[in-house]
Amino acid sequence: DLMLGFLVVNHLHKGSSHKKEKAIVKELRALCKEHTEHRVHMFYGQPGLLIVQSSPTSFSEIQKFLKKIAGKPATLTKTKTIREKVQDNGSSEKFVEYPGLGGGGCDKDAIRRIKDQYGIKKTLDVILGLNEKRGGMIRGLEKKK
């Protein structure tokens, strides 16, 4: 079976001056090319989010890469076993980037569409690692009003 996982990092910024993010893109594109079942949605912003469709063992490998090579610790906030690949809006793209929105946030509407497509009931706060019981923060991610 394949799994869908939501990996949250403090921030992901797009642009030629952001070398860590460029390294992440390069590695994840290679991973998607190497493994036919892999699919990644990369959301720029603060927080940043990677929605990864892969084999269950890939999540820890991606987390290790993000921390060691790119210096970006990632929290796996939600996983779900899926029976078959789901294509986003009929797209055949295996690696899709979503630019951050004004004010530094990530594209929550696109995250909701993907979440709903997979039948995930968790709220965006849970998926983005924002936890009310911890004062609205987890790993330095501040809850945006």
Side-chain angles (χ1 to χ4, degrees), residues 129-143:
L130 305 171
N131 186 335
E132 295 291 342
K133 293 179 184 172
R134 295 187 185 182
M137 295 171 50
I138 185 170
R139 288 202 179 223
L141 302 175
E142 296 184 15
K143 186 171 182 176

Side-chain angles (χ1 to χ4, degrees), residues 19-30:
K19 292 181 175 130
K20 291 178 182 179
E21 283 81 348
K22 286 173 109 178
I24 293 169
V25 168
K26 183 178 177 181
E27 181 71 18
L28 293 177
R29 281 188 188 277

Side-chain angles (χ1 to χ4, degrees), residues 77-126:
T77 59
K78 171 71 181 154
T79 59
K80 179 179 180 172
T81 301
I82 53 178
R83 305 244 182 282
E84 60 187 50
K85 291 188 256 186
V86 175
Q87 298 295 332
D88 183 37
N89 298 325
S91 171
S92 62
E93 290 291 318
K94 293 180 64 172
F95 183 85
V96 183
E97 296 175 88
Y98 299 82
L101 302 177
C106 58
D107 188 345
K108 291 180 181 176
D109 289 336
I111 297 168
R112 277 189 196 94
R113 283 192 302 273
I114 295 167
K115 179 179 85 69
D116 293 346
Q117 189 174 14
Y118 284 96
I120 293 173
K121 306 284 187 233
K122 295 286 184 191
T123 66
L124 278 183
D125 280 357
V126 171

